[in-house]
């Protein structure tokens, strides 16, 4: 799972300007086993560090198909309903998608 996460993170980072996204909203700077989970034991928050997103990975057909669900975080705050998905088939990234993605201005209600 670490290699899969790293590969998708690398692809997103290489294409961040074209995608117009900030990879840090999907991937923490240090990916560890504690924030990558398989489908069977997936949860949304790492119990040891509630600010780190958990990347959910489902492996099918002995690794022929790998699916990922990556929640979006903005300055360690979860963006409810906003996430990325990726599918890898036979070692090739065949799908990358963003759900409910948009610009976040970061202003508080008091600043508006």
């Amino acid at each position: 799972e670490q290699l899969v996460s790293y590969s998708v993170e690398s692809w997103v980072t290489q294409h961040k300007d074209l995608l117009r996204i900030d990879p840090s909203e999907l991937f923490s700077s240090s990916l560890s086993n504690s924030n990558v989970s398989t489908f069977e034991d997936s949860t949304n928050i790492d119990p040891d560090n509630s600010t780190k997103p958990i990347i959910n990975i489902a492996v099918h057909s002995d690794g022929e198909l790998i699916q990922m669900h990556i929640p979006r975080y903005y300055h360690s705050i979860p963006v409810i309903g906003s996430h990325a998905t990726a599918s890898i088939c036979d070692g090739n990234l065949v799908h990358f998608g963003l759900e409910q993605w948009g610009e976040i201005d970061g202003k508080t209600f008091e600043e508006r």
Side-chain angles (χ1 to χ4, degrees):
E1 288 104 3
Q2 288 293 99
L3 181 59
V4 171
S5 297
Y6 176 76
S7 298
V8 172
E9 180 179 4
S10 295
W11 185 87
V12 169
T13 302
Q14 289 173 3
H15 296 89
K16 67 181 180 181
D17 294 332
L18 181 63
L19 296 168
R20 296 177 23 186
I21 66 172
D22 180 358
S24 69
E25 293 180 19
L26 293 172
F27 305 96
S28 65
S29 59
S30 59
L31 206 57
S32 67
N33 284 331
S34 65
N35 64 348
V36 175
S37 71
T38 59
F39 181 73
E40 293 79 21
D41 62 0
S42 63
T43 57
N44 290 327
I45 300 294
D46 177 357
D48 297 326
N49 183 350
S50 62
T51 63
K52 291 172 81 175
I54 289 184
I55 299 171
N56 294 302
I57 298 175
V59 180
H60 308 280
S61 301
D62 293 325
E64 286 183 32
L65 175 63
I66 301 170
Q67 297 175 306
M68 298 178 67
H69 175 272
I70 311 160
R72 182 182 186 186
Y73 279 67
Y74 183 77
H75 296 286
S76 300
I77 301 169
V79 181
I80 304 302
S82 187
H83 60 271
T85 57
S87 298
I88 299 171
C89 186
D90 293 322
N92 298 304
L93 180 64
V94 296
H95 160 81
F96 179 81
L98 300 170
E99 181 73 26
Q100 296 185 8
W101 206 275
E103 297 280 333
I104 298 176
D105 65 16
K107 293 180 182 175
T108 65
F109 287 111
E110 291 83 22
E111 296 173 325
R112 293 182 183 181

